[in-house]
Amino acid sequence: MPLALVSTYQTFQLMSFKQIAVIGAGTMGNGIAHVFAQSGFTVKLIDVNGAQLEKALQTIGKNLDRQVSKGALSEGQKSIALANITTHTDLAVGVQNADLVVEAATENTDLKLKIFRSLDEAAPANTILATNTSSISITKIAAATKRPNKVIGMHFMNPVPVMKLVEIINGYATDKAVTDAIVAMSTQLGKVPCVVNDYPGFIANRILMPMINEAIYSLYEGVAGVEAIDTVMKLGMAHPMGPLQLADFIGLDVCLSILNVLHDGFGNPKYAPCPLLVNMVTAGYLGVKSGEGFYQHTAGSKDLVVSERFR
Ligand code: CAA
């Protein structure tokens, strides 16, 4: 086949996504599975932990119910979305017919490299391998495979069914046809794709995390209290959550780890994490997931109660 035709044929092949595999059934993984299934794709949700898969299906069911109760989805559409998802504990079985794999495992470089090595062996040669990493280098993850041109970042925001953005990150070797296919696919999901290049923090976290860090520094230096800092940003800048509430929502450990990536990656002291953030993470005060951060988080309650430590 002439070279131009081979390339067109490959682009066409890349465009015809039907089966999606999602690796990791945590908060991001279940949200990603939810939006693909709702958009009519067949989804294989894969996690080594069977109990986590059960929990993820329950969460997806609850979030679909929420959409039904708001009139955004019919009962029939909810049933179809749920029927589109099957769960697997065996990665090799789950990805064997996948057109696209979206990895959303824990944010740990060694783990992601290991997963991508396995994906490269188990998934068909044409399968695009995407990662939902919030800060690990796409180029580094891609280099663990023999298909770095088919590896790309697909960074969804939490809560995935609600947030419109997908930050699409080109690794150094990502093919343009792959980027184009992922842009088109993200639009099919009802999302708004933004393409960026692979440098520390990409765009979302390069801008978000210094803002969160500055809010924590303002608290640490006694410029203002938790409520005042968050209210200024909520009412003054129309942010849906103040930066300290958002840090609790994202997880203080995740914020710290992303700031460390920025600090190490750029070698610029402006990214140095605030010592208060470091202390809170060391002590296990991680925000919503641990029950306390800048706020107290009681299960089932939406009330914002500032942590006693900051009153
Ligand atoms: N699934 C489906 N729908 C959901 C949902 C979920 N998990 N969570 C909330 N919703 C829906 C609700 O049903 C509601 O729908 P309607 O507007 O149709 O009524 C809507 O979202 C708003 O929800 P609530 O009324 O319950 O609550 P809220 O108004 O306080 O909004 C929020 C909640 C959407 C989370 C809002 O506070 C918000 O936008 N917060 C900021 C979120 C944000 O910045 N996310 C990015 C974090 S950074 C990141 O993810 C990347 C990273 O790398 C760190």
Side-chain angles (χ1 to χ4, degrees), residues 180-209:
D180 292 347
I182 295 299
V183 164
M185 135 80 71
S186 303
T187 309
Q188 245 181 299
L189 294 177
K191 302 290 184 196
V192 177
C194 283
V195 179
V196 311
N197 291 321
D198 182 27
Y199 291 99
F202 318 135
I203 285 293
N205 283 318
R206 180 169 178 166
I207 295 174
L208 176 63
M209 287 303 156

PDB file of all heavy atoms in Angstrom, residues 180-209:
ATOM      1  N   ASP A 180      -5.668  13.879  17.039  1.00  0.00           N
ATOM      2  CA  ASP A 180      -6.917  14.241  16.352  1.00  0.00           C
ATOM      3  C   ASP A 180      -8.039  13.271  16.714  1.00  0.00           C
ATOM      4  O   ASP A 180      -9.185  13.673  16.939  1.00  0.00           O
ATOM      5  CB  ASP A 180      -6.710  14.234  14.824  1.00  0.00           C
ATOM      6  CG  ASP A 180      -5.788  15.366  14.368  1.00  0.00           C
ATOM      7  OD1 ASP A 180      -5.516  16.286  15.171  1.00  0.00           O
ATOM      8  OD2 ASP A 180      -5.328  15.320  13.205  1.00  0.00           O
ATOM      9  N   ALA A 181      -7.696  11.987  16.777  1.00  0.00           N
ATOM     10  CA  ALA A 181      -8.712  10.983  17.100  1.00  0.00           C
ATOM     11  C   ALA A 181      -9.228  11.165  18.531  1.00  0.00           C
ATOM     12  O   ALA A 181     -10.429  11.051  18.791  1.00  0.00           O
ATOM     13  CB  ALA A 181      -8.127   9.576  16.932  1.00  0.00           C
ATOM     14  N   ILE A 182      -8.338  11.501  19.458  1.00  0.00           N
ATOM     15  CA  ILE A 182      -8.746  11.662  20.856  1.00  0.00           C
ATOM     16  C   ILE A 182      -9.538  12.960  21.044  1.00  0.00           C
ATOM     17  O   ILE A 182     -10.489  13.004  21.834  1.00  0.00           O
ATOM     18  CB  ILE A 182      -7.508  11.591  21.797  1.00  0.00           C
ATOM     19  CG1 ILE A 182      -6.883  10.187  21.726  1.00  0.00           C
ATOM     20  CG2 ILE A 182      -7.854  11.939  23.233  1.00  0.00           C
ATOM     21  CD1 ILE A 182      -7.805   9.050  22.171  1.00  0.00           C
ATOM     22  N   VAL A 183      -9.185  13.984  20.283  1.00  0.00           N
ATOM     23  CA  VAL A 183      -9.963  15.230  20.309  1.00  0.00           C
ATOM     24  C   VAL A 183     -11.395  14.935  19.844  1.00  0.00           C
ATOM     25  O   VAL A 183     -12.375  15.319  20.496  1.00  0.00           O
ATOM     26  CB  VAL A 183      -9.300  16.316  19.420  1.00  0.00           C
ATOM     27  CG1 VAL A 183     -10.258  17.455  19.113  1.00  0.00           C
ATOM     28  CG2 VAL A 183      -8.039  16.848  20.097  1.00  0.00           C
ATOM     29  N   ALA A 184     -11.514  14.208  18.718  1.00  0.00           N
ATOM     30  CA  ALA A 184     -12.839  13.898  18.169  1.00  0.00           C
ATOM     31  C   ALA A 184     -13.638  13.049  19.154  1.00  0.00           C
ATOM     32  O   ALA A 184     -14.831  13.284  19.382  1.00  0.00           O
ATOM     33  CB  ALA A 184     -12.692  13.178  16.832  1.00  0.00           C
ATOM     34  N   MET A 185     -12.956  12.086  19.754  1.00  0.00           N
ATOM     35  CA  MET A 185     -13.630  11.192  20.710  1.00  0.00           C
ATOM     36  C   MET A 185     -14.113  11.956  21.942  1.00  0.00           C
ATOM     37  O   MET A 185     -15.213  11.735  22.442  1.00  0.00           O
ATOM     38  CB  MET A 185     -12.660  10.057  21.055  1.00  0.00           C
ATOM     39  CG  MET A 185     -12.522   9.676  22.483  1.00  0.00           C
ATOM     40  SD  MET A 185     -13.869   8.643  22.981  1.00  0.00           S
ATOM     41  CE  MET A 185     -13.491   7.158  22.108  1.00  0.00           C
ATOM     42  N   SER A 186     -13.311  12.927  22.416  1.00  0.00           N
ATOM     43  CA  SER A 186     -13.695  13.704  23.598  1.00  0.00           C
ATOM     44  C   SER A 186     -14.932  14.549  23.305  1.00  0.00           C
ATOM     45  O   SER A 186     -15.814  14.693  24.161  1.00  0.00           O
ATOM     46  CB  SER A 186     -12.545  14.617  24.047  1.00  0.00           C
ATOM     47  OG  SER A 186     -11.400  13.840  24.293  1.00  0.00           O
ATOM     48  N   THR A 187     -15.002  15.057  22.073  1.00  0.00           N
ATOM     49  CA  THR A 187     -16.175  15.841  21.680  1.00  0.00           C
ATOM     50  C   THR A 187     -17.410  14.939  21.651  1.00  0.00           C
ATOM     51  O   THR A 187     -18.494  15.332  22.078  1.00  0.00           O
ATOM     52  CB  THR A 187     -15.933  16.483  20.285  1.00  0.00           C
ATOM     53  OG1 THR A 187     -14.679  17.156  20.344  1.00  0.00           O
ATOM     54  CG2 THR A 187     -17.021  17.467  19.918  1.00  0.00           C
ATOM     55  N   GLN A 188     -17.214  13.703  21.191  1.00  0.00           N
ATOM     56  CA  GLN A 188     -18.312  12.726  21.167  1.00  0.00           C
ATOM     57  C   GLN A 188     -18.834  12.458  22.581  1.00  0.00           C
ATOM     58  O   GLN A 188     -19.986  12.106  22.770  1.00  0.00           O
ATOM     59  CB  GLN A 188     -17.773  11.407  20.616  1.00  0.00           C
ATOM     60  CG  GLN A 188     -18.382  10.976  19.287  1.00  0.00           C
ATOM     61  CD  GLN A 188     -17.783   9.644  18.871  1.00  0.00           C
ATOM     62  OE1 GLN A 188     -16.566   9.554  18.668  1.00  0.00           O
ATOM     63  NE2 GLN A 188     -18.601   8.624  18.764  1.00  0.00           N
ATOM     64  N   LEU A 189     -17.968  12.604  23.576  1.00  0.00           N
ATOM     65  CA  LEU A 189     -18.374  12.380  24.978  1.00  0.00           C
ATOM     66  C   LEU A 189     -19.105  13.599  25.543  1.00  0.00           C
ATOM     67  O   LEU A 189     -19.485  13.598  26.708  1.00  0.00           O
ATOM     68  CB  LEU A 189     -17.141  12.130  25.861  1.00  0.00           C
ATOM     69  CG  LEU A 189     -16.325  10.861  25.625  1.00  0.00           C
ATOM     70  CD1 LEU A 189     -15.113  10.837  26.556  1.00  0.00           C
ATOM     71  CD2 LEU A 189     -17.184   9.619  25.840  1.00  0.00           C
ATOM     72  N   GLY A 190     -19.238  14.663  24.745  1.00  0.00           N
ATOM     73  CA  GLY A 190     -19.873  15.881  25.242  1.00  0.00           C
ATOM     74  C   GLY A 190     -18.906  16.758  26.023  1.00  0.00           C
ATOM     75  O   GLY A 190     -19.302  17.674  26.737  1.00  0.00           O
ATOM     76  N   LYS A 191     -17.611  16.467  25.893  1.00  0.00           N
ATOM     77  CA  LYS A 191     -16.609  17.247  26.622  1.00  0.00           C
ATOM     78  C   LYS A 191     -15.981  18.293  25.694  1.00  0.00           C
ATOM     79  O   LYS A 191     -16.125  18.226  24.469  1.00  0.00           O
ATOM     80  CB  LYS A 191     -15.496  16.333  27.157  1.00  0.00           C
ATOM     81  CG  LYS A 191     -15.984  15.225  28.091  1.00  0.00           C
ATOM     82  CD  LYS A 191     -16.460  15.772  29.415  1.00  0.00           C
ATOM     83  CE  LYS A 191     -16.862  14.684  30.384  1.00  0.00           C
ATOM     84  NZ  LYS A 191     -17.669  15.202  31.506  1.00  0.00           N
ATOM     85  N   VAL A 192     -15.234  19.212  26.296  1.00  0.00           N
ATOM     86  CA  VAL A 192     -14.493  20.196  25.512  1.00  0.00           C
ATOM     87  C   VAL A 192     -13.003  19.876  25.646  1.00  0.00           C
ATOM     88  O   VAL A 192     -12.439  19.982  26.733  1.00  0.00           O
ATOM     89  CB  VAL A 192     -14.780  21.637  26.014  1.00  0.00           C
ATOM     90  CG1 VAL A 192     -13.937  22.650  25.232  1.00  0.00           C
ATOM     91  CG2 VAL A 192     -16.265  21.957  25.891  1.00  0.00           C
ATOM     92  N   PRO A 193     -12.381  19.395  24.544  1.00  0.00           N
ATOM     93  CA  PRO A 193     -10.955  19.046  24.613  1.00  0.00           C
ATOM     94  C   PRO A 193     -10.055  20.265  24.450  1.00  0.00           C
ATOM     95  O   PRO A 193     -10.363  21.151  23.662  1.00  0.00           O
ATOM     96  CB  PRO A 193     -10.792  18.088  23.422  1.00  0.00           C
ATOM     97  CG  PRO A 193     -11.886  18.447  22.463  1.00  0.00           C
ATOM     98  CD  PRO A 193     -13.003  19.070  23.241  1.00  0.00           C
ATOM     99  N   CYS A 194      -8.974  20.313  25.201  1.00  0.00           N
ATOM    100  CA  CYS A 194      -7.940  21.340  25.019  1.00  0.00           C
ATOM    101  C   CYS A 194      -6.614  20.617  24.889  1.00  0.00           C
ATOM    102  O   CYS A 194      -6.240  19.840  25.783  1.00  0.00           O
ATOM    103  CB  CYS A 194      -7.875  22.277  26.222  1.00  0.00           C
ATOM    104  SG  CYS A 194      -9.193  23.466  26.212  1.00  0.00           S
ATOM    105  N   VAL A 195      -5.904  20.846  23.790  1.00  0.00           N
ATOM    106  CA  VAL A 195      -4.642  20.133  23.536  1.00  0.00           C
ATOM    107  C   VAL A 195      -3.468  20.946  24.073  1.00  0.00           C
ATOM    108  O   VAL A 195      -3.357  22.141  23.794  1.00  0.00           O
ATOM    109  CB  VAL A 195      -4.462  19.867  22.026  1.00  0.00           C
ATOM    110  CG1 VAL A 195      -3.149  19.141  21.751  1.00  0.00           C
ATOM    111  CG2 VAL A 195      -5.643  19.063  21.484  1.00  0.00           C
ATOM    112  N   VAL A 196      -2.631  20.297  24.856  1.00  0.00           N
ATOM    113  CA  VAL A 196      -1.449  20.971  25.426  1.00  0.00           C
ATOM    114  C   VAL A 196      -0.240  20.042  25.257  1.00  0.00           C
ATOM    115  O   VAL A 196      -0.390  18.873  24.906  1.00  0.00           O
ATOM    116  CB  VAL A 196      -1.667  21.319  26.930  1.00  0.00           C
ATOM    117  CG1 VAL A 196      -2.999  22.021  27.145  1.00  0.00           C
ATOM    118  CG2 VAL A 196      -1.593  20.092  27.824  1.00  0.00           C
ATOM    119  N   ASN A 197       0.944  20.589  25.511  1.00  0.00           N
ATOM    120  CA  ASN A 197       2.155  19.777  25.383  1.00  0.00           C
ATOM    121  C   ASN A 197       2.649  19.304  26.745  1.00  0.00           C
ATOM    122  O   ASN A 197       2.232  19.811  27.786  1.00  0.00           O
ATOM    123  CB  ASN A 197       3.225  20.563  24.634  1.00  0.00           C
ATOM    124  CG  ASN A 197       2.821  20.747  23.175  1.00  0.00           C
ATOM    125  OD1 ASN A 197       2.267  19.818  22.564  1.00  0.00           O
ATOM    126  ND2 ASN A 197       3.035  21.914  22.628  1.00  0.00           N
ATOM    127  N   ASP A 198       3.546  18.329  26.696  1.00  0.00           N
ATOM    128  CA  ASP A 198       3.948  17.616  27.918  1.00  0.00           C
ATOM    129  C   ASP A 198       5.085  18.323  28.655  1.00  0.00           C
ATOM    130  O   ASP A 198       6.254  18.031  28.396  1.00  0.00           O
ATOM    131  CB  ASP A 198       4.366  16.187  27.502  1.00  0.00           C
ATOM    132  CG  ASP A 198       4.760  15.343  28.690  1.00  0.00           C
ATOM    133  OD1 ASP A 198       4.257  15.612  29.793  1.00  0.00           O
ATOM    134  OD2 ASP A 198       5.563  14.404  28.511  1.00  0.00           O
ATOM    135  N   TYR A 199       4.736  19.235  29.542  1.00  0.00           N
ATOM    136  CA  TYR A 199       5.696  19.857  30.461  1.00  0.00           C
ATOM    137  C   TYR A 199       5.084  19.815  31.855  1.00  0.00           C
ATOM    138  O   TYR A 199       3.855  19.669  31.979  1.00  0.00           O
ATOM    139  CB  TYR A 199       6.030  21.284  29.997  1.00  0.00           C
ATOM    140  CG  TYR A 199       6.838  21.225  28.721  1.00  0.00           C
ATOM    141  CD1 TYR A 199       6.244  21.413  27.489  1.00  0.00           C
ATOM    142  CD2 TYR A 199       8.197  20.880  28.767  1.00  0.00           C
ATOM    143  CE1 TYR A 199       6.983  21.283  26.315  1.00  0.00           C
ATOM    144  CE2 TYR A 199       8.937  20.748  27.597  1.00  0.00           C
ATOM    145  CZ  TYR A 199       8.336  20.945  26.381  1.00  0.00           C
ATOM    146  OH  TYR A 199       9.060  20.789  25.226  1.00  0.00           O
ATOM    147  N   PRO A 200       5.888  19.910  32.907  1.00  0.00           N
ATOM    148  CA  PRO A 200       5.381  19.651  34.264  1.00  0.00           C
ATOM    149  C   PRO A 200       4.064  20.371  34.595  1.00  0.00           C
ATOM    150  O   PRO A 200       3.952  21.579  34.432  1.00  0.00           O
ATOM    151  CB  PRO A 200       6.527  20.144  35.154  1.00  0.00           C
ATOM    152  CG  PRO A 200       7.753  19.928  34.310  1.00  0.00           C
ATOM    153  CD  PRO A 200       7.322  20.247  32.903  1.00  0.00           C
ATOM    154  N   GLY A 201       3.096  19.588  35.063  1.00  0.00           N
ATOM    155  CA  GLY A 201       1.792  20.128  35.466  1.00  0.00           C
ATOM    156  C   GLY A 201       0.866  20.408  34.293  1.00  0.00           C
ATOM    157  O   GLY A 201      -0.281  20.803  34.486  1.00  0.00           O
ATOM    158  N   PHE A 202       1.352  20.204  33.058  1.00  0.00           N
ATOM    159  CA  PHE A 202       0.590  20.513  31.837  1.00  0.00           C
ATOM    160  C   PHE A 202       0.079  21.965  31.951  1.00  0.00           C
ATOM    161  O   PHE A 202       0.865  22.844  32.288  1.00  0.00           O
ATOM    162  CB  PHE A 202      -0.529  19.484  31.613  1.00  0.00           C
ATOM    163  CG  PHE A 202      -0.092  18.048  31.893  1.00  0.00           C
ATOM    164  CD1 PHE A 202      -0.885  17.177  32.634  1.00  0.00           C
ATOM    165  CD2 PHE A 202       1.138  17.586  31.445  1.00  0.00           C
ATOM    166  CE1 PHE A 202      -0.480  15.869  32.895  1.00  0.00           C
ATOM    167  CE2 PHE A 202       1.563  16.278  31.695  1.00  0.00           C
ATOM    168  CZ  PHE A 202       0.745  15.431  32.431  1.00  0.00           C
ATOM    169  N   ILE A 203      -1.222  22.198  31.722  1.00  0.00           N
ATOM    170  CA  ILE A 203      -1.737  23.560  31.945  1.00  0.00           C
ATOM    171  C   ILE A 203      -2.588  23.590  33.219  1.00  0.00           C
ATOM    172  O   ILE A 203      -2.393  24.447  34.097  1.00  0.00           O
ATOM    173  CB  ILE A 203      -2.562  24.054  30.725  1.00  0.00           C
ATOM    174  CG1 ILE A 203      -1.617  24.422  29.581  1.00  0.00           C
ATOM    175  CG2 ILE A 203      -3.435  25.253  31.091  1.00  0.00           C
ATOM    176  CD1 ILE A 203      -0.720  25.633  29.849  1.00  0.00           C
ATOM    177  N   ALA A 204      -3.517  22.633  33.355  1.00  0.00           N
ATOM    178  CA  ALA A 204      -4.483  22.692  34.469  1.00  0.00           C
ATOM    179  C   ALA A 204      -3.763  22.829  35.805  1.00  0.00           C
ATOM    180  O   ALA A 204      -4.016  23.758  36.575  1.00  0.00           O
ATOM    181  CB  ALA A 204      -5.371  21.444  34.449  1.00  0.00           C
ATOM    182  N   ASN A 205      -2.840  21.926  36.075  1.00  0.00           N
ATOM    183  CA  ASN A 205      -2.220  21.939  37.403  1.00  0.00           C
ATOM    184  C   ASN A 205      -1.061  22.913  37.523  1.00  0.00           C
ATOM    185  O   ASN A 205      -0.712  23.322  38.628  1.00  0.00           O
ATOM    186  CB  ASN A 205      -1.814  20.526  37.797  1.00  0.00           C
ATOM    187  CG  ASN A 205      -3.035  19.758  38.240  1.00  0.00           C
ATOM    188  OD1 ASN A 205      -3.881  20.302  38.958  1.00  0.00           O
ATOM    189  ND2 ASN A 205      -3.179  18.520  37.802  1.00  0.00           N
ATOM    190  N   ARG A 206      -0.490  23.343  36.403  1.00  0.00           N
ATOM    191  CA  ARG A 206       0.561  24.366  36.461  1.00  0.00           C
ATOM    192  C   ARG A 206      -0.039  25.686  36.960  1.00  0.00           C
ATOM    193  O   ARG A 206       0.635  26.498  37.579  1.00  0.00           O
ATOM    194  CB  ARG A 206       1.171  24.544  35.073  1.00  0.00           C
ATOM    195  CG  ARG A 206       2.268  25.581  35.075  1.00  0.00           C
ATOM    196  CD  ARG A 206       3.018  25.557  33.779  1.00  0.00           C
ATOM    197  NE  ARG A 206       4.035  26.571  33.765  1.00  0.00           N
ATOM    198  CZ  ARG A 206       5.012  26.626  32.879  1.00  0.00           C
ATOM    199  NH1 ARG A 206       5.081  25.706  31.943  1.00  0.00           N
ATOM    200  NH2 ARG A 206       5.904  27.570  32.917  1.00  0.00           N
ATOM    201  N   ILE A 207      -1.315  25.884  36.646  1.00  0.00           N
ATOM    202  CA  ILE A 207      -1.958  27.140  37.062  1.00  0.00           C
ATOM    203  C   ILE A 207      -2.749  26.950  38.363  1.00  0.00           C
ATOM    204  O   ILE A 207      -2.708  27.789  39.262  1.00  0.00           O
ATOM    205  CB  ILE A 207      -2.840  27.664  35.908  1.00  0.00           C
ATOM    206  CG1 ILE A 207      -1.908  28.036  34.727  1.00  0.00           C
ATOM    207  CG2 ILE A 207      -3.679  28.853  36.339  1.00  0.00           C
ATOM    208  CD1 ILE A 207      -2.604  28.429  33.449  1.00  0.00           C
ATOM    209  N   LEU A 208      -3.446  25.798  38.468  1.00  0.00           N
ATOM    210  CA  LEU A 208      -4.278  25.569  39.663  1.00  0.00           C
ATOM    211  C   LEU A 208      -3.451  25.403  40.941  1.00  0.00           C
ATOM    212  O   LEU A 208      -3.768  25.982  41.979  1.00  0.00           O
ATOM    213  CB  LEU A 208      -5.150  24.316  39.447  1.00  0.00           C
ATOM    214  CG  LEU A 208      -6.003  23.878  40.632  1.00  0.00           C
ATOM    215  CD1 LEU A 208      -7.037  24.946  40.984  1.00  0.00           C
ATOM    216  CD2 LEU A 208      -6.704  22.551  40.350  1.00  0.00           C
ATOM    217  N   MET A 209      -2.395  24.587  40.874  1.00  0.00           N
ATOM    218  CA  MET A 209      -1.674  24.248  42.116  1.00  0.00           C
ATOM    219  C   MET A 209      -0.942  25.435  42.744  1.00  0.00           C
ATOM    220  O   MET A 209      -0.958  25.577  43.963  1.00  0.00           O
ATOM    221  CB  MET A 209      -0.728  23.062  41.886  1.00  0.00           C
ATOM    222  CG  MET A 209      -1.484  21.761  41.747  1.00  0.00           C
ATOM    223  SD  MET A 209      -2.539  21.433  43.192  1.00  0.00           S
ATOM    224  CE  MET A 209      -3.752  20.349  42.454  1.00  0.00           C
TER     225      MET A 209
END
